[in-house]
């Protein structure tokens, strides 16, 4: 059941819990676009792992109030208030895709509360020195990120009709992505359970607007508000070698600049391969 938590600045954030209520707490930060609805491992898997999984809608997504102009770093304050409301002293953090930078923000800015953090198919900062940020990235993502840097209004004009299409036909975004998916990703998305979760996730993400989607893109294209190199908590960086949505070079760059990190690159896997490895990653997060 969704819980709405009132934050000190007057906003509300929507939170969902999955798995074992008394298990090791892990906050899962969703992708872009995304929501608290997943995708997440099956309940039986979470119970077997002893994981209390907490998800929430970032501002502007789902049922969470918008925070215009937010930076990646701003997620840490929300996570802290969520953790306090749920009585979590310490917790692991897992970020998938667009949730990756936000998971790193928690590790950097909440070191006394974050035990470990894992990033699956994440992004490096847009100003990453020595990284060709757009190398090997699919054309649709390149266009979106370049446009948000140049003219935010143009991007919002694009996202609004896309969000309208998703609300009218929630399977549309999965269908739109299909031509850009690798064969390995197509096999994963073809699974009925995963496809259902993706459709529910995307529909909830844009239930009211495309605001959260735009705010994520803007946050990634501007300064994050913290330095990844300042992170001291243990960090796992996992990436599919064939990923074109957030290319593997991003995790390799992060691995070179976060002293406490280690990088796993899986050959033959791509972006949605992150869904298959999530149980193993949760096991590592619970092992702190």
């Amino acid at each position: 059941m969704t819980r709405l938590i009132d934050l000190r600045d007057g906003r509300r954030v929507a939170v969902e819990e999955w798995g074992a209520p008394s298990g090791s707490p892990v906050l899962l930060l969703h992708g872009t676009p995304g929501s608290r609805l997943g995708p997440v491992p099956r309940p039986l898997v979470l119970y077997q792992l002893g994981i209390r999984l907490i998800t929430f809608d970032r501002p502007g997504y789902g049922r969470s109030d918008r925070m215009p102009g937010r930076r990646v770093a701003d997620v840490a304050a929300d996570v802290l208030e969520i953790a306090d409301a749920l009585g979590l002293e310490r917790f692991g953090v897992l970020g998938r895709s667009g949730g990756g930078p936000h998971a790193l923000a928690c590790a950097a800015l909440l070191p006394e509360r974050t035990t470990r953090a894992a990033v699956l198919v994440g992004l490096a900062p847009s100003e990453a020195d020595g990284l060709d940020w757009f190398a090997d990235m699919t054309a649709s993502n390149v266009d979106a990120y370049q446009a948000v840097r140049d003219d935010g209004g143009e991007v919002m004009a694009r996202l609004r009709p896309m969000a309208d299409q998703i609300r009218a036909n929630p399977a549309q975004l999965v269908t739109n992505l299909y031509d850009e998916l690798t064969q390995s990703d197509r096999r994963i998305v073809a699974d009925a359970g995963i496809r259902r979760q993706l459709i529910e996730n995307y529909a909830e993400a844009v239930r009211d607007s495309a605001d959260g989607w735009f705010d994520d893109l803007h946050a990634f294209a501007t300064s994050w508000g913290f330095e990844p190199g300042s992170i001291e908590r243990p960090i796992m960086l996992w990436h599919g070698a064939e990923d074109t949505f957030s290319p593997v070079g991003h995790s390799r760059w992060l691995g070179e600049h976060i002293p406490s990190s280690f990088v796993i690159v899986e050959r033959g896997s791509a972006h949605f391969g992150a869904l298959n490895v999530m149980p193993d990653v949760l096991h590592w997060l619970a092992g702190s």
Side-chain angles (χ1 to χ4, degrees), residues 17-240:
E17 293 200 49
W18 318 76
S22 60
S24 299
V26 176
L27 279 90
L28 171 62
L29 292 98
H30 62 72
T32 301
S35 75
R36 69 191 186 282
L37 299 186
V40 299
R42 294 190 303 275
L44 178 60
V45 172
L46 293 173
Y47 272 94
Q48 290 173 336
L49 290 169
I51 295 291
R52 178 186 179 187
L53 192 66
I54 298 108
T55 59
F56 66 97
D57 297 333
R58 280 196 296 280
Y61 283 118
R63 297 178 65 183
S64 289
D65 294 331
R66 189 184 187 190
M67 183 183 182
R70 60 179 167 88
R71 300 180 304 166
V72 171
D74 292 325
V75 75
D78 286 0
V79 165
L80 183 59
E81 290 199 56
I82 291 168
D84 287 345
L86 298 180
L88 309 179
E89 286 298 322
R90 288 168 64 76
F91 45 84
V93 181
L94 171 58
R96 186 181 68 83
S97 189
H102 295 89
L104 293 177
C106 295
L109 302 174
L110 303 174
E112 295 182 357
R113 304 290 291 271
T114 302
T115 55
R116 296 179 173 184
V119 174
L120 311 181
V121 296
L123 292 166
S126 61
E127 70 273 20
D129 185 42
L131 174 67
D132 183 350
W133 209 82
F134 294 115
D136 301 319
M137 186 179 287
T138 189
S140 61
N141 276 15
V142 172
D143 290 346
Y145 287 123
Q146 285 183 332
V148 79
R149 290 179 178 183
D150 299 336
D151 182 0
E154 178 186 341
V155 174
M156 201 60 177
R158 292 186 195 180
L159 295 182
R160 284 195 184 103
M162 291 175 66
D164 291 342
Q165 287 180 352
I166 293 168
R167 280 192 292 275
N169 177 14
Q172 188 62 46
L173 184 54
V174 177
T175 301
N176 291 348
L177 289 174
Y178 193 80
D179 287 343
E180 295 182 313
L181 296 179
T182 64
Q183 288 300 321
S184 64
D185 274 350
R186 288 179 180 180
R187 287 193 294 271
I188 292 169
V189 171
D191 178 273
I194 289 177
R195 191 177 184 89
R196 175 184 54 78
Q197 285 195 64
L198 287 171
I199 290 170
E200 291 176 353
N201 173 49
Y202 294 142
E204 182 65 10
V206 298
R207 64 178 292 162
D208 293 323
S209 72
D211 290 346
W213 196 351
F214 171 82
D215 292 340
D216 263 1
L217 296 179
H218 183 267
F220 300 146
T222 54
S223 173
W224 286 4
F226 68 95
E227 292 294 333
S230 69
I231 296 172
E232 297 181 351
R233 307 310 300 159
I235 304 294
M236 174 193 289
L237 302 163
W238 183 95
H239 225 111

Side-chain angles (χ1 to χ4, degrees), residues 245-262:
F245 291 98
S246 49
V248 67
H250 289 244
S251 280
R252 289 187 169 129
W253 186 93
L254 289 167
E256 292 170 358
H257 290 79
I258 303 175
S260 60
S261 71
F262 65 96

